[in-house]
Amino acid sequence: MFKLPPIAVDIGSSAIKIVELSGGHQKKLRSVGIELVPEGVINEGFISDIPTAQQALKRLVKRLRLSTMRRRACLSLGGNSVIVKKVNFPNKDEAELADMIEAEAEQHFQHDIDDLHFDWHILDPNPNQQDRSVVLIGAKRDIIDQHISVAKSVGLKIAVIECDVFATFNMFEYNFGMIQGLIALTNIGASSAQVSLIGNGQHLYTRDIAIAGNNYTKALSTALNIAPENAEAVKIAASEGGASITPDVQNVIAQVNKQLVSEIQVTTDFFFQSGEAPLDFTALSAIFLTGGASRTIGLDSAIASAMNIPVNIINPFHKIDIPRKFPMESILSQGHLYGIGVGLSLRDVEDNV
Ligand SMILES: Nc1ncnc2c1ncn2[C@@H]1O[C@H](COP(=O)(O)OP(=O)(O)OP(=O)(O)O)[C@@H](O)[C@H]1O
Ligand SMILES: [Mg+2]
């Protein structure tokens, strides 16, 4: 009998992705794969057509020849199905703090607490601050149930339900360790993007942005008067450098890049102006990108020139051993899709196999 971490199942708006790692501190890739989901089935975490999502996961599990017997899944929620908030509480001992958090959570979420699954994480004390910062996480119960029903349909049990923001953060820290200073970690998916600000390895602030991969496809489809499937192909070909890009395509993508960059700037400006930023942070030192749409042509350079900071597209498999059976070329060209999957599969929960 040996132990394996749970299987990461990232149910995103455009696709379901699986990542399976093995090993202790040094992780090794066991399986990885993606199955596209038709548009409209999943949006910002909400699964409106559960049978279609279940079929997609079944196909993926079969294609990867995964045995789901006695295995558990780590799932992740993103978009507006999760609310992540940092709130300051008076500096009390942890038991008193816990009572206070429980009592005040509803008012911070502005949501009926009965509709939310609620969790929190108390941050390390900040010497510049008298209050104690707490990250509150609320996930919509109905959406959690939808995700569980998709994972269970292939025989998986549920180990952990994480949120995209923290899965991305885990993936980042495993690969690059704790970075000193203030950085932004941005996951850009199909229906939404999340920008998280991380100071000396601590999560400080997250904002959800409703501009992501789908916006490029829609804009291209409208401007060029082509079907969304063709617009999607044009977009991917442009970022992969395979086809010559017409000025029209370039302009449309550049316009959406501009909107996304402006939302990232609004997020960081808000962080600094609202007093959310600890006093020792006055500027961002770098931005790291992951998620399918992070590879969009011109996005990294648009962010770098508007914000005047280095921008890096993360390879989520940077520190993971990749056996030869996985073609390195596809790990490098598709890796950006698996940021959340890698973060989820790093969770410290084990299955007996
Ligand atoms: N090489 C690429 N260039 C540009 N866009 C890409 C590329 N590869 C994937 N995308 C886009 O990335 C998006 C998918 O990314 P990802 O898998 O991270 O999203 P998701 O998890 O399905 O969605 P969400 O997180 O919003 O629910 C799609 O819009 C897709 O078109
Ligand atoms: Mg996603």
Side-chain angles (χ1 to χ4, degrees), residues 13 19 64 75 79-80 87 127 136 147 150 155 161 170 199 210 215 228 244 251 265 267 301 305 314 325 328 342 346:
S13 308
V19 177
L64 296 178
L75 307 176
N80 64 16
V87 177
L136 304 178
H147 283 242
V150 172
I161 301 182
N170 287 343
N215 294 70
S244 58
N251 285 339
Q265 279 181 305
T267 308
S301 53
S305 65
I314 303 168
K325 66 172 178 172
M328 192 46 85
V342 168
L346 290 166

Side-chain angles (χ1 to χ4, degrees), residues 43 75 91 123 162 183 224 233 236 241 278 292 311 352:
N43 193 39
L75 307 176
N91 200 352
L123 296 180
E162 179 62 278
I183 59 156
L224 308 180
I236 307 273
V311 179
N352 294 322

Side-chain angles (χ1 to χ4, degrees), residues 10 12-15 17 44 164 187-192 213-214 217 232 235-236 239-240 291-293 295-296 336-337:
D10 173 15
S13 308
S14 69
K17 285 140 280 180
E44 294 210 36
D164 285 0
N187 171 51
I188 312 169
S191 64
S192 71
N214 287 345
T217 307
E232 178 76 15
K235 175 181 82 170
I236 307 273
S239 81
E240 289 179 346
R295 286 279 304 273
T296 306
H336 58 297
L337 293 163

Side-chain angles (χ1 to χ4, degrees), residues 251-284:
N251 285 339
V252 174
I253 293 179
Q255 282 306 316
V256 184
N257 279 343
K258 219 167 150 185
Q259 292 167 19
L260 187 48
V261 174
S262 142
E263 286 294 327
I264 296 173
Q265 279 181 305
V266 166
T267 308
T268 54
D269 289 351
F270 176 81
F271 175 73
F272 287 116
Q273 285 159 15
S274 66
E276 293 275 339
L279 297 174
D280 31 354
F281 297 126
T282 50
L284 274 185

Side-chain angles (χ1 to χ4, degrees), residues 7 33 49 76 78 83 93 106 149 175 178 216 238 252 259 264 271 277 286 316 341 352:
I7 296 170
D49 180 350
S76 187
I83 306 155
D93 69 48
E106 184 153 11
S149 104
N175 283 299
M178 197 266 268
Y216 294 92
V252 174
Q259 292 167 19
I264 296 173
F271 175 73
N352 294 322

